[in-house]
Amino acid sequence: MNLRRTLSLVTIPLLAIVLALIVGAVVIIASSPLVSGHLDLVLPLRAYAALVSGAFGTVNGLIQTIVSASPLILAGLAVSIGFKAGLFNIGAQGQFLVGAVAAAAVGAGLAHAPAPVAIGVSILAALVAGAVYGFIPGFLKAFTGAHEVVTTIMLNYIAIQFVAYLITGPLRATGATFARSPSVGAAELPVLIGRNGHLGILFALVAVPIAWWLLYRTTIGFEVRTVGANPDAARYAGMSPRWIVIATMTVCGLLAGLAGAGEILGITGYMPAGYSTNVGFDGITVALLGRANPIGILFGGLLLGAMRAGSNLMQIQAGVPVQMIDVLQGVILFFLAAELVVRYVFRVRAARAQVTELQTVSRSYGQQTTP
Amino acid sequence: MTEPTAPLEQHGPPPALEMRGITKRYPGVLANDGIDLQVHPGEIHALLGENGAGKTTLMNILYGLATPDAGQILLDGEPVSISSPSDAIRRGISMVHQHFMLVPVLSVADNILLGEEPMAGPVFLDRRSAYGRLRDLATFFGWEIDLDAPVGTLSVGWQQRVEILKAVYRNAQILVLDEPTAVLTPQETREIFTMLRRLTTEGYSIIFISHKLYEVLEIANRITVIRRGRVVGERLPSQTDEEDLAQLMVGREVQLTVDRGTSHPGEPRLVVDDLYARDDRGHEVVHGVSLEVRAGEVLGIAGVAGNGQDELVEALVGLRRPSAGRVQLDGHDVTGAGPRDLHQRGMAFVPADRHRFGLVLSYPLTDNLVLTDYFRPPYARGIMRDEDAIRVQAGKAVEQYDIRTPSVDVAAATLSGGNQQKVIVARELDRDLRLLVLDQPTRGLDVGSIEFIHRQAIAKRDAGTAILLVSAELDEVLELSDRIGVMYRGRLVALMDARSATREAVGLLMATGGSQPQKTDTGAA
Amino acid sequence: MRKQRFGLLASLSVAALILGACQGTGPGTGSGSQGPTSDLKIGLVTDVGTLDDKNFNQFSWEGAKQGAQAIGAPEPQSVVTTASADYAKNIQSFVDQDYDIIVTVGFALGNDTTKAAKANPNIKFIGVDQGLCVTESGDPDPDFGCKGDAAKLLPNYQGLVFKEQQPGYLAGIVAASISKSGHIAAIGGTKVVPAVANYIAGYANGAMSVNPDIKVEQQFVSEAPDNAAFNDPAGGKAFAEQLLAQNPDVDVLFQVAGKTGNGVLQAACDANIHAIGVDVDQHESTPESAKCIVTSAEKKLTKAVSDAIKRVADGSDKGGTVPLDITTDSIGLAPFYDAQSLITPDIQSKIDAAIKGLKDGSIDPCSPTACV
């Protein structure tokens, strides 16, 4: 029974990936004259082969895959826990950024402190910042009914401007030729494995089972899921959808903030004013790909991480631009969202009474669900 | 299985609709097993069957929503294949659904014309000729209806009539009505029946799906009963009665009315004093309701849906804050108390809308069966759920309440309505109760499930629980209650002893609130 | 039904693969080789954006290709960066593929290029727009004291920087000379980016050298180097329209705002006034606004990158910050094209004099308005 259920859950994501690879191949072939000078029908094969070998072909590639996947997994969790509570958290991007800038700021302040202290406090700062940034839309939703899709999108913009202000203003490193925060020094995460497998990958790997346990084995998770599946029934059962919405958004923000800390403390070591990232939005893809289930998100994150890690080799060896990954990702997202299309193409019957995360997405644009 | 009843041989013109040997298999279920059905021109043909008997599948096949694995459909003797609803409509088959498919903000005329807009040229609507035809139709039925009134302002009975008018306007020759009277008062039902009879005189054929046996006996020219995908009997109304039909439907002898015995009311359990409540849009819809429910009695509240009952119940069970007034349970003031508090004080609640409040459809039975108790031992210790204890409880409940399910792990959505309701009843009734609130507890259920739930309720009453029953089903109220109240426009307009209540009297109170009965029921409410 | 669909798709893709296998000959690298040859493998990592941004990424890439051709090396490869966190990863992927020369584009990559240069002394790095600042051990200096001698510590890393004030100064001369109203303007993306501030300081100083009474409007689209500052043409257009509405007599507009500035150019065209482009020859890169672009204050990125590659090939490369200025013709004014008629001999002689002065140091483009 569980096997069948699992199968029916993974069918659509897998088919979406297959369809995306096919569409990607068509795009690659169509644009191959630009690469090879003629219509090159094997180019997709070479591109995909390079992609796979870049992501999994070497130990360093494998580690890079995990490193790239870590923030995506955390952001994916941040989106999917929202889905579980019937919330479409588009704000993972903003929560990621405030977490990142908090880690960068506190890290820079503690650059010469003992490493465990510097790391611990910086991460704590990122967790708090992200949590606060998730709390805001949660609170607004619970007490004013402001839809989280709208508020989180706006908060994303505020986060970008806020980060830019901090980095170009109070946090700007003196002496640097461009606007960036000072280096985080001692707060830099130690490399545990290989060339760049930093401590941050453990955050993601530990967050997955914790999130799973919380969602499926505790009364708190039960309340979250009930509010998401049927807020009226949740009230009937004596739960408080309001507080659950707030708590859920706060936890989402916390996870996204943690992802931000990992990227700053583990990879760049400082934060530039124009910090460019897409982790928060990719988290939506990961969450949909993982069907809002923590285990699924682990795999969804690893898949996107592998594509990010392997894409360079694809460009270097096959000459297919890195942006192909964005095409693949976009097509995957399209097919995940347009699940009906996939079901039609492959004649897959719908699993009954599921797909709550997609309902959350589509519901977000139509009806108002007040807790 | 088909019983060889004599008067079915046909003369004259072929049937308007004939379905021959319709078979439809879904994985694990034989939904239709060689069903034969003949509907003659000008006939009202009732289709009777419990939920899951295969009525819906059969009608979906007729309406082009499902393809039969075997069998044939003939219209006026000609074999046809119907591949889609638009195909069905084109062939003159129209379906009036149980849930209205009307757009509340559009006018009556616009609702009827929607999707079928008459065009004058390629761009402009030809409203004039359309209005003319609509007026002719209304006159035909003897209605005075404002074609420009928004449908949302009409009473439910009128909305139902608009639905039927819509089908007729589209030149349907065969109308399928899926439980058209489920939400109507007896008076409104009678209006609909008049309309249907009028239609048959014009040669329309009607397939009438219902659970209400006496209605079927009243309106149908012929009755086909199906059970487990097969036709188990055809009857003429003159040759049968409710007991016979119920037995055919259920496959065993059924007691249609629970023997409720005599009640022994005790001390007042629930005391409601001058209660006011507002609906979601802020309009006050409960105006100063006072009532008392005693231990060991059933107080039934009758009323047409939408007269404030929903808000009253929600205010009593903690889902809605009353705007004024006082509620006492066992002498404690519980005005504005939350659902969990009331639950712990021994109140249980079976909600009218089981999909909205009672169940989380995507959850397995296990989770649904502990929906109100999930947080306390033995189902949880601290924040840790005890999956074993939950499963043990689920197994017990399934057995004790005869919930028909392949396993306790299937989603509640996969169960039939009756079994879903049993899940709620199992959860809510499976403990010592001080007060039980039943809000439309049998809406949309089949005869067997209704019988079961009524028995459970009476058993609770006899064990000394105070029961407040709210229902738009007049029969249910009459059958179960020791005392009867009627809600009309937010007020409790009458409170009487059940022994002195008649169907007619209560029905009139429901429809008019006890004031002068209105002479003509016009469209705008 | 279901099986059939699968089958159809599968057979289609198989057919595609077989067809492909029959035809595939691989990428055509067999260039008709004449002149010098080299087996140096050149890779380029862009800043966040696209390879065809008509700006830094694109012209650096052109430079890499020209450089490769000039030394007879195989066609270079590129990796486009899509997120700030990927700089190190992208540089590393060329390292892992044993590339010999790695070009990184943009100041934001300086930190990671420095680290990579230290870790891989046998690989040559060329950083575009990257001033080197290292500690005595050759690491990126977190305190920006720049105590270490980058040229000695990282001899394999050329950091190419441009003196933006110089082309800015020349642009200012042109602007002041062709202005009839004596009121000109410059729109920058954000003043916190030194390059922007320097361009505009030079512009103001150049203009004043021609006409001491000239009014130079200086406005910045954003407080931060964000999307609005450099990546938002529509926003830039609106911003410029507002400036022109408030200062209707402004008749020359200099943009220093990347793609945002492309909108500024459009606004100038719509208002029928003169515009001056930045960084690259915008007459070519933004043909939609070519008719009103008089010239552009140009960093000759293509030449700079190509030259740096040639230096690596012939062994004349030296590490450290490589300042590029007018003495090596690495900066300057783009051709005037159709606007040539505006440039009277008198104006041309002023420009020539300024170039000469800048070259011999007798003109300071950072005075009186100071550079950063």
Side-chain angles (χ1 to χ4, degrees):
Chain A
M1 132 81 209
N2 262 330
L3 183 71
R4 258 186 62 195
R5 199 175 132 77
T6 313
L7 261 177
S8 82
L9 278 175
V10 299
T11 314
I12 293 299
L14 287 180
L15 294 180
I17 294 166
V18 170
L19 281 177
L21 289 175
I22 293 170
V23 172
V26 172
V27 173
I28 293 175
I29 291 171
S31 54
S32 60
L34 298 173
V35 178
S36 323
H38 58 90
L39 210 59
D40 186 351
L41 293 178
V42 279
L43 190 59
L45 271 193
R46 285 194 303 144
Y48 291 156
L51 189 64
V52 171
S53 96
F56 304 108
T58 61
V59 174
N60 278 322
L62 209 56
I63 292 170
Q64 181 60 50
T65 293
I66 298 171
V67 169
S68 299
S70 300
L72 296 172
I73 291 169
L74 288 169
L77 288 175
V79 176
S80 71
I81 291 178
F83 278 148
K84 284 293 177 203
L87 299 164
F88 190 8
N89 177 22
I90 303 187
Q93 182 80 1
Q95 294 146 13
F96 173 97
L97 283 175
V98 296
V101 80
V106 174
L110 297 173
H112 302 290
V117 176
I119 292 173
V121 178
S122 305
I123 288 172
L124 194 66
L127 292 174
V128 171
V132 167
Y133 219 62
F135 170 85
I136 297 170
F139 179 84
L140 290 175
K141 166 107 179 178
F143 284 96
T144 71
H147 202 289
E148 76 280 0
V149 165
V150 176
T151 52
T152 54
I153 287 176
M154 294 198 289
L155 283 165
N156 283 344
Y157 286 110
I158 295 173
I160 294 169
Q161 298 299 329
F162 180 61
V163 166
Y165 159 74
L166 284 180
I167 304 290
T168 54
L171 284 180
R172 180 168 184 165
T174 43
T177 51
F178 64 100
R180 49 163 281 190
S181 70
S183 298
V184 296
E188 209 164 283
L189 299 178
V191 170
L192 303 179
I193 176 167
R195 206 154 54 192
N196 60 350
H198 59 83
L199 182 64
I201 60 180
L202 281 186
F203 301 163
L205 298 182
V206 169
V208 168
I210 292 180
W212 185 87
W213 180 78
L214 271 175
L215 275 175
Y216 295 106
R217 286 289 176 266
T218 69
T219 56
I220 301 168
F222 184 67
E223 293 185 4
V224 168
R225 288 185 292 128
T226 306
V227 167
N230 186 342
D232 289 319
R235 279 200 313 133
Y236 166 90
M239 304 168 185
S240 168
R242 250 178 209 193
W243 291 108
I244 290 166
V245 161
I246 294 177
T248 304
M249 283 304 292
T250 306
V251 169
C252 292
L254 181 139
L255 286 166
L258 181 60
E263 292 294 273
I264 295 300
L265 304 178
I267 296 181
T268 49
Y270 65 91
M271 187 148 186
Y275 188 82
S276 158
T277 181
N278 223 11
V279 166
F281 297 128
D282 290 347
I284 298 171
T285 310
V286 172
L288 289 175
L289 204 47
R291 300 238 116 178
N293 178 305
I295 313 293
I297 281 160
L298 179 67
F299 287 105
L302 284 172
L303 175 77
L304 258 59
M307 296 199 324
R308 296 275 158 215
S311 60
N312 290 355
L313 204 63
M314 177 177 79
Q315 170 140 24
I316 294 169
Q317 289 189 344
V320 173
V322 173
Q323 277 98 338
M324 195 59 222
I325 299 307
D326 295 330
V327 173
L328 290 179
Q329 209 175 305
V331 178
I332 288 175
L333 192 57
F334 173 82
F335 282 121
L336 284 174
E339 192 180 304
L340 283 176
V341 178
V342 180
R343 289 198 186 286
Y344 179 76
V345 171
F346 290 104
R347 304 283 176 185
V348 182
R349 288 197 322 121
R352 289 188 67 183
Q354 279 163 4
V355 211
T356 54
E357 72 279 3
L358 264 174
Q359 280 162 359
T360 302
V361 175
S362 46
R363 191 166 61 196
S364 296
Y365 296 103
Q367 76 204 52
Q368 173 74 305
T369 47
T370 33
Chain B
M1 276 297 277
T2 312
E3 314 219 344
T5 30
L8 295 180
E9 67 268 19
Q10 57 183 63
H11 314 281
L17 165 70
E18 184 172 4
M19 298 179 85
R20 270 191 207 155
I22 299 291
T23 299
K24 177 72 183 176
R25 186 183 296 276
Y26 288 116
V29 193
L30 191 55
N32 283 175
D33 184 6
I35 290 188
D36 296 318
L37 181 73
Q38 288 187 357
V39 182
H40 294 279
E43 177 182 68
I44 299 181
H45 193 122
L47 200 54
L48 261 182
E50 291 201 285
N51 284 340
K55 293 173 303 199
T56 311
T57 304
L58 187 66
M59 289 304 110
N60 282 346
I61 288 169
L62 176 60
Y63 202 50
L65 287 165
T67 327
D69 298 329
Q72 228 182 355
I73 300 175
L74 295 90
L75 291 176
D76 298 322
E78 294 291 316
V80 293
S81 85
I82 299 170
S83 59
S84 70
S86 54
D87 205 10
I89 290 170
R90 213 173 43 244
R91 295 180 189 280
I93 301 170
S94 194
M95 181 107 81
V96 175
H97 293 271
Q98 193 175 359
H99 302 282
F100 299 150
M101 304 284 177
L102 297 172
V103 186
V105 295
L106 292 185
S107 71
V108 172
D110 287 343
N111 263 292
I112 292 171
L113 301 183
L114 198 65
E116 193 80 348
E117 297 85 353
M119 303 302 284
V123 180
F124 295 102
L125 285 176
D126 181 9
R127 298 180 66 97
R128 185 186 291 225
S129 75
Y131 266 66
R133 244 196 91 199
L134 283 175
R135 276 204 203 90
D136 291 347
L137 278 173
T139 320
F140 169 70
F141 291 118
W143 296 347
E144 283 172 40
I145 184 167
D146 179 3
L147 291 174
D148 292 319
V151 157
T153 64
L154 300 186
S155 67
V156 191
W158 272 103
Q159 294 190 15
Q160 182 65 272
R161 276 178 258 180
V162 170
E163 276 282 10
I164 297 172
L165 187 58
K166 192 164 125 187
V168 173
Y169 177 81
R170 294 178 181 202
N171 298 317
Q173 288 303 308
I174 299 169
L175 297 180
V176 181
L177 306 181
D178 188 6
E179 303 205 21
T181 61
V183 291
L184 305 183
T185 63
Q187 281 77 11
E188 285 173 327
T189 301
R190 200 152 306 132
E191 296 274 352
I192 294 285
F193 282 2
T194 312
M195 178 179 182
L196 296 184
R197 290 203 186 93
R198 196 75 218 266
L199 283 170
T200 56
T201 62
E202 293 296 306
Y204 290 91
S205 308
I206 294 167
I207 299 177
F208 184 91
I209 301 173
S210 179
H211 289 312
K212 295 183 189 169
L213 301 175
Y214 65 89
E215 278 187 359
V216 166
L217 287 169
E218 184 185 336
I219 186 77
N221 302 111
R222 204 169 1 180
I223 303 165
T224 297
V225 185
I226 55 182
R227 184 171 78 230
R228 296 184 185 210
R230 312 180 70 148
V231 173
V232 292
E234 279 197 22
R235 296 283 189 276
L236 296 178
S238 55
Q239 299 172 325
T240 182
D241 57 20
E242 293 191 32
E243 275 69 30
D244 176 42
L245 290 175
Q247 192 173 345
L248 273 178
M249 268 168 76
V250 183
R252 64 181 163 84
E253 213 167 313
V254 183
Q255 226 172 336
L256 283 174
T257 48
V258 183
D259 178 16
R260 70 173 192 266
T262 44
S263 63
H264 306 283
E267 82 287 354
R269 283 273 169 79
L270 176 73
V271 178
V272 179
D273 197 14
D274 204 22
L275 194 77
Y276 288 79
R278 297 174 187 284
D279 68 8
D280 290 336
R281 287 172 296 179
H283 301 303
E284 195 169 83
V285 290
V286 177
H287 311 286
V289 168
S290 299
L291 55 82
E292 200 180 274
V293 190
R294 296 170 168 273
E297 73 160 355
V298 178
L299 171 64
I301 307 270
V304 177
N307 273 285
Q309 303 100 310
D310 290 349
E311 288 78 8
L312 173 68
V313 167
E314 286 174 24
L316 294 180
V317 301
L319 288 169
R320 182 177 296 276
R321 281 196 84 83
S323 44
R326 214 157 73 106
V327 182
Q328 281 177 295
L329 179 59
D330 278 324
H332 299 280
D333 187 346
V334 293
T335 317
R340 186 162 295 174
D341 186 8
L342 292 167
H343 183 84
Q344 276 163 346
R345 289 174 186 274
M347 178 195 280
F349 172 40
V350 176
D353 191 340
R354 56 180 168 269
H355 292 176
R356 178 167 171 216
F357 285 114
L359 295 169
V360 179
L361 289 176
S362 55
Y363 277 0
L365 296 195
T366 47
D367 284 344
N368 272 302
L369 282 163
V370 297
L371 194 60
T372 45
D373 282 315
Y374 67 96
F375 59 93
R376 65 169 139 232
Y379 311 123
R381 258 168 283 125
I383 62 162
M384 284 275 287
R385 275 157 57 94
D386 186 331
E387 304 294 334
D388 293 336
I390 294 171
R391 289 187 69 86
V392 168
Q393 167 63 16
K396 244 172 60 191
V398 163
E399 193 167 329
Q400 199 173 334
Y401 288 85
D402 189 28
I403 301 168
R404 309 264 172 86
T405 174
S407 111
V408 295
D409 295 312
V410 301
T414 62
L415 298 193
S416 71
N419 281 307
Q420 288 178 347
Q421 194 71 345
K422 283 181 186 171
V423 170
I424 297 175
V425 168
R427 181 181 71 216
E428 296 299 316
L429 270 56
D430 193 31
R431 59 185 175 122
D432 287 331
L433 292 179
R434 308 292 295 169
L435 171 68
L436 172 60
V437 179
L438 299 171
D439 190 1
Q440 310 252 38
T442 58
R443 181 155 81 180
L445 299 191
D446 51 72
V447 180
S449 304
I450 292 174
E451 180 195 15
F452 177 85
I453 284 163
H454 285 177
R455 273 177 202 287
Q456 294 288 332
I458 293 301
K460 274 289 172 195
R461 182 200 70 175
D462 291 343
T465 301
I467 298 182
L468 179 65
L469 166 71
V470 176
S471 181
E473 301 273 356
L474 184 48
D475 305 297
E476 181 166 47
V477 173
L478 288 168
E479 203 178 303
L480 286 185
S481 309
D482 300 308
R483 288 190 299 137
I484 294 174
V486 178
M487 283 278 279
Y488 181 75
R489 299 205 172 160
R491 292 194 167 80
L492 203 56
V493 292
L495 203 55
M496 62 191 98
D497 193 288
R499 279 164 298 193
S500 63
T502 65
R503 152 177 277 283
E504 288 309 304
V506 178
L508 196 64
L509 282 166
M510 286 167 71
T512 65
S515 58
Q516 282 299 310
Q518 286 151 352
K519 211 163 75 234
T520 44
D521 183 10
T522 49
Chain C
M1 255 327 222
R2 175 173 163 187
K3 222 168 186 168
Q4 240 173 25
R5 281 293 169 123
F6 259 123
L8 184 68
L9 270 174
S11 49
L12 266 179
S13 42
V14 166
L17 295 182
I18 293 170
L19 266 173
C22 298
Q23 197 184 342
T25 51
T29 40
S31 50
S33 53
Q34 58 221 72
T37 56
S38 160
D39 53 5
L40 291 175
K41 283 157 75 181
I42 303 171
L44 176 136
V45 180
T46 72
D47 203 342
V48 177
T50 59
L51 199 55
D52 56 351
D53 62 355
K54 295 181 175 172
N55 213 304
F56 270 61
N57 288 342
Q58 180 172 347
F59 292 99
S60 302
W61 173 237
E62 297 292 338
K65 286 197 287 192
Q66 277 185 21
Q69 203 168 26
I71 63 173
E75 178 92 341
Q77 286 296 344
S78 67
V79 166
V80 176
T81 302
T82 53
S84 297
D86 291 343
Y87 294 143
K89 177 195 89 175
N90 293 349
I91 296 169
Q92 188 63 44
S93 56
F94 279 119
V95 173
D96 288 345
Q97 295 294 307
D98 299 322
Y99 271 61
D100 303 293
I101 301 176
I102 299 173
V103 183
T104 66
V105 182
F107 56 74
L109 280 83
N111 211 57
D112 290 313
T113 308
T114 308
K115 287 186 195 164
K118 188 183 177 200
N120 304 285
N122 296 326
I123 299 175
K124 302 289 189 182
F125 289 86
I126 297 168
V128 179
D129 230 16
Q130 294 166 14
L132 271 61
C133 179
V134 295
T135 61
E136 278 147 340
S137 56
D139 294 309
D141 188 347
D143 304 319
F144 308 103
C146 309
K147 295 263 176 51
D149 179 357
K152 215 191 262 155
L153 291 165
L154 300 173
N156 55 330
Y157 178 13
Q158 309 178 54
L160 311 181
V161 296
F162 298 87
K163 294 207 162 141
E164 292 90 2
Q165 56 269 35
Q166 292 184 344
Y169 191 86
L170 296 175
I173 290 175
V174 172
S177 305
I178 61 175
S179 171
K180 295 197 170 74
S181 64
H183 195 175
I184 62 175
I187 291 179
T190 172
K191 61 181 145 200
V192 301
V193 168
V196 174
N198 288 341
Y199 265 125
I200 291 180
Y203 178 71
N205 294 334
M208 293 222 274
S209 75
V210 175
N211 175 2
D213 299 324
I214 195 152
K215 268 168 70 189
V216 183
E217 220 60 56
Q218 302 178 30
Q219 292 195 14
F220 298 89
V221 180
S222 174
E223 289 297 311
D226 50 19
N227 232 20
F230 296 117
N231 234 334
D232 178 13
K237 183 157 186 262
F239 189 88
E241 279 164 357
Q242 198 181 347
L243 180 144
L244 292 173
Q246 284 160 2
N247 304 283
D249 58 337
V250 164
D251 57 359
V252 186
L253 190 51
F254 178 38
Q255 79 93 349
V256 194
K259 280 188 180 163
T260 300
N262 293 348
V264 173
L265 297 177
Q266 275 175 27
C269 284
D270 292 349
N272 260 322
I273 61 170
H274 301 300
I276 296 176
V278 77
D279 282 339
V280 298
D281 183 352
Q282 291 209 275
H283 191 277
E284 299 295 283
S285 69
T286 52
E288 67 276 10
S289 304
K291 67 179 170 73
C292 47
I293 296 175
V294 180
T295 181
S296 300
E298 200 185 350
K299 294 179 181 177
K300 301 193 171 163
L301 294 161
T302 306
K303 175 175 173 1
V305 173
S306 169
D307 285 352
I309 289 172
K310 284 188 236 167
R311 286 197 293 275
V312 171
D314 65 21
S316 69
D317 60 309
K318 292 196 182 68
T321 304
V322 182
L324 297 172
D325 58 18
I326 199 155
T327 55
T328 52
D329 289 325
S330 300
I331 60 101
L333 287 180
F336 296 111
Y337 302 100
D338 315 331
Q340 188 66 53
S341 56
L342 288 170
I343 309 300
T344 59
D346 177 43
I347 298 176
Q348 187 60 52
S349 66
K350 280 183 193 153
I351 296 170
D352 292 341
I355 291 174
K356 187 161 170 293
L358 287 170
K359 276 188 178 163
D360 63 22
S362 62
I363 291 178
D364 180 3
C366 292
S367 163
T369 307
C371 303
V372 290

